[in-house]
Amino acid sequence: MREISRRTFLKASAATTVGVSTLTVPAAARGRPKAQSVLGDFDMDGQFTVENHRVADPATDDDLCDGDPRAETERENVLHVTSNGRSTRDYSAGLVNLEDRFDEPLTLNEVSADESVAFNYFQGPHNENAAPDEVFLIVRKRHASGGGDDDTGLFAAFKTIDDGVDPDPRTVSCEDDNKRWRGVDVSAQITGRGRSWSDVQVSEDDIRSGQMAAETARTLGSQRDRFESLLDRYGEGSELVAVGYGRGSIRQEIALDVYYDNLVVRRNGDDPVELDFPATIPMDVEFRPPQINTAGRGTLNASLSLRQEEVGLDPNDVIADSVKLMPYTSVAPVAGRGATARSVNVTGGGLRAKFRADRAADVLGTGEQEVLIWGRFDNEPRDVFLAQGSLTVRDPSRFDRRSSRE
């Protein structure tokens, strides 16, 4: 299989996430999610090794140095990106749409002061390679003259940030400041401090097409155009549409173990808006029956359960009409695709989703299939769940023809 580039993944992530202002873009582009979390199976092994979880503050007393403010306060609903100690080339990303969080668009100039856009992270003991890793921003470029009709395009800009900290607890001391929650001042990066940026343009068609934009972006992986300052690249009046993180490596297998929390955005020093990066929560699924046929007789039942306890999340929080079934894809979930469940009920601490067999067969095709089920939680971070299982779809007409010939 062809390798998906990091640019491809970021373009796909942007396409599923960007919420757009009703004042500046066509009506067809409105109503995008407030946030979107996606996973990428970039080692193409047919499964998502990387997972997202909602957890309590990972910092213990042993992790905190004297005087650390974390010793006095508790973080809740922390996002944990982990491969559970396994090496992988899978990738995790989350974007938060800012356009419906503020009454007026945020210009790059308005968020260029120190810590106008910032978040915290905590590197776990099993993490390898960069931390916190990618920061990426979606920018709507404007002409210098300003105005309502001078939109010159959307761009996904990203850069890697590596604090160089060794997460091995045997090498950590308070003097190293290694065990504390650390901050990322995204605004400082906007003005050109740190490593250089790369970007890729995202069209309104890309946004409407969702994850399928990844297929059209494969050729961008070889581009190496770099720039230092977003202000110089796009202009001070251009608008910050979304902010996100990315964790993983598509070039080498590494273990992932990073926690993210406390995304804040403020305009010109105003009171901060506190946000959370969204998560893709893993669920396990069992299909009953384990096979269906294209004749469409009967119902496909899917029993779903959380893989582990999630802080602040419960199966009751799942939005029933958001639950969909779709074929396995290496970047998931894919917004808008799949067969919608005809009913979803909470049973025994899990979910039971029912799908019409004919619609499931239409979506999946025939033969042995890897299947994804996903849906949205009704929570402010706009978390989603993702479950993967195997299912056989039979075509009775082919079976009947073979039987008659025999």
Side-chain angles (χ1 to χ4, degrees):
M1 296 184 181
R2 291 177 296 174
E3 181 175 295
I4 301 177
S5 72
R6 181 163 298 181
R7 290 173 177 271
T8 295
F9 185 70
L10 295 180
K11 189 171 183 180
S13 302
T16 60
T17 306
V18 176
V20 286
S21 167
T22 58
L23 299 177
T24 56
V25 299
R30 300 173 190 167
R32 291 290 147 183
K34 287 188 175 181
Q36 184 73 20
S37 175
V38 288
L39 305 179
D41 171 22
F42 288 152
D43 48 21
M44 296 298 185
D45 62 358
Q47 60 183 343
F48 296 102
T49 303
V50 62
E51 297 179 356
N52 294 173
H53 295 286
R54 287 289 176 198
V55 300
D57 191 337
T60 67
D61 290 343
D62 291 338
D63 293 317
L64 301 174
C65 301
D66 292 340
D68 192 314
R70 287 270 38 83
E72 301 175 2
T73 59
E74 293 268 343
R75 295 175 185 263
E76 298 179 350
N77 302 330
V78 173
L79 168 61
H80 187 200
V81 177
T82 178
S83 61
N84 297 304
R86 291 177 290 175
S87 295
T88 182
R89 287 196 290 128
D90 287 1
Y91 200 84
S92 174
L95 279 170
V96 177
N97 169 28
L98 301 177
E99 288 196 311
D100 62 354
R101 313 289 180 129
F102 292 85
D103 292 337
E104 298 292 335
L106 288 168
T107 68
L108 292 180
N109 187 56
E110 291 173 327
V111 295
S112 61
D114 285 355
E115 298 186 352
S116 293
V117 182
F119 64 89
N120 297 145
Y121 71 97
F122 185 98
Q123 189 173 183
H126 303 295
N127 194 61
E128 297 176 338
N129 208 316
D133 216 353
E134 265 75 52
V135 171
F136 51 97
L137 307 175
I138 308 302
V139 177
R140 177 174 288 111
K141 187 175 181 180
R142 296 291 191 182
H143 285 305
S145 60
D149 297 320
D150 59 349
D151 186 343
T152 61
L154 290 164
F155 293 82
F158 70 96
K159 69 187 306 181
T160 299
I161 300 177
D162 184 7
D163 61 14
V165 170
D166 184 352
D168 189 334
R170 295 170 297 181
T171 65
V172 168
S173 70
C174 285
E175 288 72 23
D176 296 330
D177 198 28
N178 286 3
K179 284 193 172 184
R180 306 174 67 178
W181 278 93
R182 302 170 72 86
V184 177
D185 184 353
V186 180
S187 296
Q189 309 293 327
I190 288 174
T191 58
R193 282 175 271 174
R195 294 189 181 187
S196 59
W197 292 88
S198 297
D199 69 358
V200 58
Q201 187 164 8
V202 183
S203 71
E204 295 294 353
D205 286 340
D206 290 328
I207 296 172
R208 287 191 293 272
S209 66
Q211 296 283 349
M212 297 306 295
E215 295 300 324
T216 65
R218 290 178 184 273
T219 58
L220 298 172
S222 60
Q223 294 185 6
R224 291 293 183 270
D225 187 21
R226 302 278 182 173
F227 57 95
E228 297 295 328
S229 168
L230 272 68
L231 296 175
D232 294 341
R233 180 76 164 186
Y234 307 118
E236 294 183 355
S238 294
E239 298 159 8
L240 181 61
V241 173
V243 58
Y245 82 92
R247 178 68 190 111
S249 173
I250 64 173
R251 296 182 178 88
Q252 60 179 319
E253 293 190 347
I254 58 172
L256 312 178
D257 187 12
V258 179
Y259 301 82
Y260 298 88
D261 191 36
N262 195 33
L263 171 64
V264 295
V265 181
R266 71 186 83 204
R267 184 201 308 268
N268 287 334
D270 292 344
D271 291 339
V273 175
E274 298 182 359
L275 304 164
D276 289 302
F277 288 126
T280 299
I281 303 296
M283 278 192 171
D284 295 319
V285 61
E286 180 181 358
F287 291 111
R288 298 178 182 175
Q291 64 179 29
I292 56 176
N293 64 65
T294 57
R297 302 183 183 93
T299 298
L300 174 63
N301 296 289
S303 297
L304 298 145
S305 58
L306 289 171
R307 189 162 296 170
Q308 69 177 50
E309 184 177 353
E310 305 288 341
V311 173
L313 288 179
D314 185 271
N316 283 292
D317 300 326
V318 171
I319 302 171
D321 61 5
S322 74
V323 177
K324 295 182 181 295
L325 176 147
M326 57 178 285
Y328 178 85
T329 180
S330 60
V331 178
V334 180
R337 287 185 57 188
T340 302
R342 70 180 188 184
S343 68
V344 179
N345 298 297
V346 178
T347 59
L351 294 176
R352 179 172 295 171
K354 295 185 177 182
F355 300 87
R356 281 181 46 174
D358 58 341
R359 292 185 179 177
D362 288 343
V363 167
L364 298 175
T366 59
E368 294 184 2
Q369 301 285 342
E370 284 297 300
V371 179
L372 300 177
I373 297 181
W374 74 280
R376 297 190 182 278
F377 288 95
D378 186 15
N379 68 338
E380 177 52 35
R382 297 304 192 265
D383 294 334
V384 298
F385 75 83
L386 184 67
Q388 180 179 347
S390 299
L391 186 66
T392 299
V393 182
R394 300 180 61 191
D395 184 345
S397 63
R398 294 182 179 179
F399 178 78
D400 291 343
R401 286 196 296 269
R402 287 199 304 269
S403 300
S404 63
R405 287 196 299 268
E406 294 171 356

